[in-house]
């Protein structure tokens, strides 16, 4: 090494200043650190699941079962109920539970689940509805009559799902830097599905169009509203 180089190194070392000391505020913040409780997704799923389960149970308890229920085929009632329960369960899992090894629910799974859960009840209602002649009430065969029945059932289903949507938003708030809209749609789909299931248990109006577009359509409407309304409270820091 040349003498000039040694002088340059000595000068650079002498000319450098030591790093500043931590501020009083930083030291106080470090001294006040507290352990953070780890989030448990299963707890969120259980809490939201209980709220969802309360809707159909409360419908039967306080509003009563549909007047034609005993006249409908038992196997069909059970099979249709299982489809509704599956729709609620899939939407609940997509909104709350992450895949193995992950921390947050998978946005891609939420998108695919919302799509399937929104379509399946509509198809089931349109092509799988059974009426009990003399017991099931026919929807008026006019545009205004059909629209009135549709509006009433859609409104009732959405209202029934509001508590679940609120609880879901509180449980999942500020968690998703990306994909919050689809998780919000999954919460909305779960809330809409539980409202649609409550309608299936209580509403005596028949016909595939009404069952598909009103009872089943409530899921699609609720998923859309969840995507629009719940994205903001679910969105976390980027």
């Amino acid at each position: 090494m040349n003498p000039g180089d040694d002088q340059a190194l000595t000068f650079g070392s002498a000319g450098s200043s030591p790093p500043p000391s931590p501020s009083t505020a930083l030291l106080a913040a470090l001294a006040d650190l507290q352990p953070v409780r780890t989030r448990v997704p299963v707890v969120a799923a259980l809490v939201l699941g209980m709220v969802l389960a309360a809707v159909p149970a409360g419908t039967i308890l306080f509003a009563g079962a549909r007047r034609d229920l005993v006249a409908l085929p038992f196997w069909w009632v059970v099979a249709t109920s299982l489809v509704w329960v599956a729709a609620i369960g899939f939407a609940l899992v997509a909104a709350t539970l992450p895949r193995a090894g992950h921390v947050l629910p998978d946005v891609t799974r939420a998108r695919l689940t919302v799509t399937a859960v929104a379509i399946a009840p509509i198809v089931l209602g349109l092509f799988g509805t059974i009426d009990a002649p003399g017991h099931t009430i026919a929807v008026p065969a006019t545009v205004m009559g059909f629209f009135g029945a549709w509006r009433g059932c859609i409104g009732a289903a959405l209202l029934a799902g509001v508590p679940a949507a609120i609880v879901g938003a509180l449980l999942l708030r500020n968690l998703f830097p990306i994909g919050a809209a689809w998780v919000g749609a999954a919460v909305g789909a779960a809330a809409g599905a539980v409202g649609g299931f409550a309608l299936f248990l209580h509403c005596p109006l028949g016909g595939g169009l009404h069952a598909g577009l009103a009872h089943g359509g409530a899921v699609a409407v609720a998923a859309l509203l969840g995507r629009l309304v719940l994205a903001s409270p679910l969105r976390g820091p980027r």
Side-chain angles (χ1 to χ4, degrees):
M1 181 180 294
N2 296 326
D5 295 336
D6 185 55
Q7 291 178 359
L9 290 174
T10 303
F11 176 77
S13 176
S16 62
S17 58
S21 301
S23 66
T24 304
L26 177 58
L27 292 175
L30 292 174
D32 195 42
L33 287 177
Q34 299 294 330
V36 177
R37 185 173 59 182
T38 304
R39 178 177 174 269
V40 184
V42 174
V43 173
L46 290 175
V47 172
L48 184 54
M50 287 188 292
V51 176
L52 291 168
V55 175
T59 299
I60 294 297
L61 183 62
F62 296 106
R66 54 192 291 176
R67 53 179 281 183
D68 61 343
L69 186 62
V70 295
L72 293 168
F74 177 76
W75 66 267
W76 177 78
V77 173
V78 172
T80 305
S81 297
L82 289 177
V83 172
W84 278 111
V85 171
I88 297 167
F90 281 124
L92 171 64
V93 168
T96 57
L97 297 182
R99 295 181 184 275
H102 291 73
V103 177
L104 296 176
D106 185 85
V107 174
T108 301
R109 183 173 67 177
R111 182 177 70 248
L112 296 175
T113 301
V114 167
T115 303
V117 168
I119 293 174
I122 296 177
V123 175
L124 175 66
L126 288 174
F127 303 105
T129 295
I130 296 178
D131 296 335
H135 299 275
T136 304
I137 300 175
V139 175
T142 63
V143 173
M144 293 306 298
F146 177 84
F147 178 72
W150 178 88
R151 182 178 57 187
C153 281
I154 285 285
L158 295 180
L159 185 61
V162 166
I166 294 174
V167 171
L170 292 175
L171 291 171
L172 302 173
R173 66 188 183 280
N174 301 329
L175 286 180
F176 300 92
I178 59 172
W182 280 111
V183 179
V187 174
V194 83
F197 184 35
L199 285 177
F200 169 72
L201 296 174
H202 174 71
C203 177
L205 298 178
L209 281 177
H210 178 76
L213 300 184
H215 300 181
V219 185
V221 174
L224 178 60
L225 290 176
R227 178 176 172 82
L228 296 175
V229 176
L230 299 182
S232 180
L234 267 56
R235 186 174 294 115
R238 293 180 179 273

